[in-house]
Amino acid sequence: MSTLATPPTPPARSNPPSRCHPPTAQTVPAPSDPGGADMKAVLSSFCTGVAVITACGSDGRPVGMAVQSFSSVSLDPPLVCFCPARTSATWPRIRSAGVFAVNILAADQEELCRRFAVTGGDKFAGVPWRPGAAGAPLLDGVLATVECALEDVLDGGDHLIALGRVTTLTAHRDGAPLLYFRRAYGRLPGSGGRASMSSSMAAARSRSEA
């Protein structure tokens, strides 16, 4: 676990440009796809929170997956989204349930996140939870839960964009969030707790939405 430090501010340019130039057909570069490694390296500079998406499978067993792609979409109507991988083994069970819960993790729940960031096994073994209003599992100790009905599923390349209509919102406790930054877990400065560096999340990141 690391405490996220503020990087030094680069020196200001002595003569910053005063105008920008609107793009033209001659100046717009030809489309090209950056490599996946470059995408991961650059976009890892965007710090996110971490959540566990849960649902009740058709067999009555709870299912869940850790994501960093959870986001608020709209206030009216109340919509949120997350982006499961097309290769996810968990997502089809969440989709068939039609309802799901977003469990927003606290800074002291790194191990819980790791449990849900892998494929296979009984992720809920020994994890305290209770059913939400529509049956989706609500994990104990999380900062907040957002219960949703699946509204739509959109194409997102090698991922899907799952859109949920919020049905119930609950803030469970105060506390700092669990963060993900440059392939490692972290916490906000001053949030307390251990400050030893977390192990790399590179492998878990590839599976965290699976």
Side-chain angles (χ1 to χ4, degrees):
M1 176 75 69
S2 61
T3 299
L4 302 182
T6 302
T9 302
R13 293 180 54 176
S14 57
N15 294 300
S18 59
R19 293 176 59 85
C20 59
H21 301 283
T24 67
Q26 289 72 37
T27 60
V28 174
S32 64
D33 291 333
D38 287 343
M39 286 280 288
K40 289 181 179 180
V42 173
L43 295 181
S44 70
S45 296
F46 181 67
C47 182
T48 72
V50 188
V52 173
I53 309 297
T54 56
C56 182
S58 58
D59 58 358
R61 299 179 62 183
V63 296
M65 56 194 288
V67 302
Q68 287 89 45
S69 58
F70 172 66
S71 179
S72 173
V73 175
S74 168
L75 296 179
D76 185 15
L79 299 173
V80 297
C81 75
F82 68 97
C83 301
R86 288 184 179 273
T87 56
S88 169
T90 303
W91 163 244
R93 300 181 66 191
I94 295 175
R95 184 172 190 169
S96 65
V99 296
F100 61 88
V102 181
N103 297 265
I104 301 174
L105 300 187
D108 58 4
Q109 292 183 304
E110 177 180 343
E111 293 308 315
L112 181 64
C113 181
R114 289 185 181 278
R115 173 184 289 268
F116 283 92
V118 297
T119 300
D122 184 359
K123 301 177 185 179
F124 282 84
V127 175
W129 63 275
R130 63 192 184 282
L138 307 182
L139 306 181
D140 285 5
V142 298
L143 294 182
T145 50
V146 184
E147 297 176 66
C148 305
L150 186 61
E151 179 83 358
D152 202 354
V153 180
L154 308 174
D155 177 63
D158 56 13
H159 283 62
L160 298 166
I161 304 169
L163 201 62
R165 180 179 286 261
V166 178
T167 57
T168 305
L169 289 163
T170 308
H172 296 286
R173 65 171 171 126
D174 292 331
L178 181 63
L179 302 178
Y180 182 75
F181 178 67
R182 292 184 177 169
R183 303 180 186 181
Y185 289 112
R187 65 174 73 235
L188 294 170
S191 61
R194 57 194 178 93
S196 59
M197 191 65 183
S198 171
S199 61
S200 172
M201 278 280 290
R205 178 65 180 92
S206 65
R207 302 190 301 267
S208 64
E209 291 163 8

